[in-house]
Amino acid sequence: NTNEGYDSALKTLKSPLTSLEIDSKKGKELYEIYCGICHGNKGACLGKLVKREKILGVPSYADRPITTGSIYHVIYYGKKS
């Protein structure tokens, strides 16, 4: 739960699932419900709640490097920077 932990997860943490075990359709559905509502469906901070100014200060992830490890770390611990 540190910036160093995030950096390490970004660079080294890999998913234990193979591409055949990933349900992309369900993952997209879950992202749109739980993440896209704030971050937008493309991660550019244009979700419905941001557009309606219900939530402010949501970061854009469209211009950041994202890996399986960084996504896991953010979901598990959050990231405030």
Side-chain angles (χ1 to χ4, degrees):
N1 190 16
T2 64
N3 286 336
E4 292 79 16
Y6 173 83
D7 291 338
S8 177
L10 174 78
K11 294 173 188 169
T12 63
L13 193 61
K14 306 291 182 211
S15 174
L17 303 176
T18 67
S19 61
L20 299 175
E21 297 173 295
I22 296 172
D23 185 343
S24 296
K25 183 178 176 183
K26 186 66 174 178
K28 180 180 188 286
E29 180 183 315
L30 292 172
Y31 176 87
E32 289 174 354
I33 292 169
Y34 296 107
C35 307
I37 193 76
C38 296
H39 293 285
N41 291 342
K42 301 212 183 282
C45 191
L46 298 173
K48 291 178 184 178
L49 293 180
V50 172
K51 287 180 182 178
R52 294 179 187 162
E53 297 182 353
K54 301 294 182 188
I55 295 178
L56 302 174
V58 175
S60 171
Y61 291 107
D63 60 351
R64 293 184 186 193
I66 295 176
T67 65
T68 303
S70 67
I71 292 169
Y72 176 82
H73 192 278
V74 169
I75 290 171
Y76 196 84
Y77 296 110
K79 179 148 175 50
K80 295 180 178 38
S81 60

